[in-house]
Amino acid sequence: GVKWTTDEEGTWMAAWQSEDARKGTRGKDCDILVARSTDAGVSWTAPRRLNINASSDGAQDWTPQVTTDALGTWVAVWVRATNDDADIWVARSTDAGVSWTAPRRLDPNAASDGADDWSPQVTTDALGTWVAVWDSRASLGGRIGKDADLLKVGSTDGGSKWATPVAL
């Protein structure tokens, strides 16, 4: 389903997963799309890919969630799954959702942990601190077991850099 949020100043952002290939420009897997409204949801931009490599990545991108600090910064998180692993990815906008950073893994060790991560959520205090949480089977380099745990990670610079994940 569609997840959306507002800055309560008239800008709305919607994010959703889609398997619509758009005449071959998005590949045949599931990708994350976003659309933006600056008139309280009356009109919307055309949907665009949040995972910018959607036409060639071959991964399934699912369950996006997006939030804002109401000061122009927006952060989106979602699951990107391949045949080997499912990881949490993040992208950030500092211009009220007009443009987005290239997506990257929220956990820098996720590429090699071989553990599935699911159900991401992100929030902020609107003072520069952001926190993301998700379900994981990662052992965090042996610091915890491989059973299901909740992980969290924080950012104190508006979501630009993220700390090392820890068990919640």
Side-chain angles (χ1 to χ4, degrees):
V2 176
K3 304 288 182 171
W4 64 83
T5 194
T6 180
D7 64 4
E8 298 184 13
E9 299 291 327
T11 300
W12 286 77
M13 189 73 57
W16 66 97
Q17 64 195 39
S18 175
E19 293 182 43
D20 179 3
R22 295 282 175 164
K23 299 179 184 170
T25 62
R26 291 193 187 136
K28 296 183 182 191
D29 56 340
C30 200
D31 295 308
I32 304 301
L33 302 180
V34 292
R36 179 176 175 260
S37 171
T38 57
D39 56 12
V42 174
S43 62
W44 292 84
T45 62
R48 56 182 270 205
R49 296 175 285 199
L50 189 55
N51 55 318
I52 57 176
N53 61 342
S55 63
S56 63
D57 70 354
Q60 299 293 336
D61 296 279
W62 297 318
T63 62
Q65 194 253 329
V66 62
T67 198
T68 181
D69 62 5
L71 301 171
T73 300
W74 297 73
V75 173
V77 294
W78 67 93
V79 174
R80 175 173 288 169
T82 63
N83 291 336
D84 301 345
D85 194 6
D87 295 319
I88 307 304
W89 286 66
V90 62
R92 176 178 177 252
S93 171
T94 57
D95 57 9
V98 173
S99 63
W100 292 85
T101 61
R104 68 178 205 260
R105 286 179 179 88
L106 194 52
D107 176 357
N109 298 314
S112 61
D113 69 9
D116 288 334
D117 301 299
W118 301 102
S119 306
Q121 295 289 306
V122 64
T123 193
T124 181
D125 64 2
L127 299 172
T129 301
W130 294 74
V131 175
V133 297
W134 66 93
D135 297 324
S136 181
R137 292 202 174 266
S139 70
L140 298 180
R143 292 179 293 168
I144 61 175
K146 287 192 173 191
D147 61 327
D149 290 297
L150 293 175
L151 300 184
K152 78 170 182 111
V153 64
S155 170
T156 57
D157 64 358
S160 179
K161 296 177 187 157
W162 295 85
T164 302
V166 296
L168 186 61

